């Protein structure tokens, strides 16, 4: 008898664990509706080696959102556009987080450089760091 792998806890939100009948039951949608949504590109379930669809918890949540939108009268073209915009928003939010972290690291490095070089470099040669009212930071090197 082969040894079982150790239990690592419940699957994550992207683990494809639900077959189409279970996904349909969890969302209150007909399996054919799920196939239609896939054909339209609204959802992309993972596939098994034999071609069977497997849905993740994240897929189930998206299907529920689509069902809510269509129940509210939004057409499938509108749903597609909303899904696209939500995807773009998530990507931009991730990029914004990365840029904020990079900015914080640059601010820290400039602050350390400024503190460590006070005696060696005249103040008029240090980079200038100024924050605007909009929260932007402007960094420039003074003329030589």
């Amino acid at each position: 008898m082969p040894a079982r792998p150790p239990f690592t806890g419940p699957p994550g939100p992207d683990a494809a664990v639900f077959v189409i009948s279970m996904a349909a039951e969890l969302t209150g949608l007909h399996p054919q509706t799920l196939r239609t949504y896939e054909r339209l590109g609204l959802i992309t379930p993972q596939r098994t080696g034999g071609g069977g669809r497997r849905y993740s918890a994240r897929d189930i949540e998206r299907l529920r959102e689509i069902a809510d939108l269509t129940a509210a009268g939004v057409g499938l073209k509108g749903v597609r556009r909303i899904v696209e915009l939500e995807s773009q928003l998530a990507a931009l939010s991730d990029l914004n987080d990365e840029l904020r972290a990079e900015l914080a690291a640059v601010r820290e490095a400039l602050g350390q450089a400024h503190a460590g070089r006070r005696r060696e470099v005249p103040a008029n040669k240090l980079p200038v760091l100024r924050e605007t009212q909009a929260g932007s930071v402007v960094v420039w090197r003074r003329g030589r």
Side-chain angles (χ1 to χ4, degrees):
M1 192 176 226
R4 280 188 167 173
F7 180 70
T8 58
D14 293 318
V17 295
F18 303 105
V19 296
I20 192 166
S21 60
M22 181 57 71
E25 185 176 330
L26 290 170
T27 59
L29 299 170
H30 192 276
Q32 191 59 40
T33 303
L34 301 186
R35 291 183 191 99
T36 300
Y37 288 170
E38 179 183 0
R39 194 172 51 255
L40 294 173
L42 297 175
I43 194 83
T44 307
Q46 295 180 28
R47 297 289 186 148
T48 64
R53 293 169 177 85
R54 293 293 185 271
Y55 296 86
S56 68
R58 197 176 309 273
D59 292 333
I60 300 298
E61 185 58 35
R62 168 149 297 163
L63 287 165
R64 288 177 177 158
E65 290 172 6
I66 292 169
D68 289 346
L69 288 168
T70 56
V74 178
L76 290 178
K77 284 185 178 182
V79 170
R80 179 183 293 140
R81 184 68 179 139
I82 290 169
V83 167
E84 289 170 358
L85 289 172
E86 286 177 343
S87 179
Q88 289 175 3
L89 178 62
L92 289 172
S93 180
D94 291 345
L95 177 60
N96 190 34
D97 292 344
E98 290 175 26
L99 291 173
R100 284 180 182 274
E102 185 178 328
L103 177 60
V106 168
R107 283 179 171 167
E108 178 66 24
L110 283 172
Q112 288 176 1
H114 180 72
R117 298 173 68 187
R118 279 191 184 154
R119 292 186 198 109
E120 300 170 18
V121 180
N124 65 349
K125 297 291 184 185
L126 289 174
V128 176
L129 184 65
R130 183 180 66 121
E131 190 164 345
T132 67
Q133 290 179 348
S136 302
V137 174
V138 179
V139 181
W140 72 92
R141 185 168 296 279
R142 297 177 195 265
R144 297 182 187 203

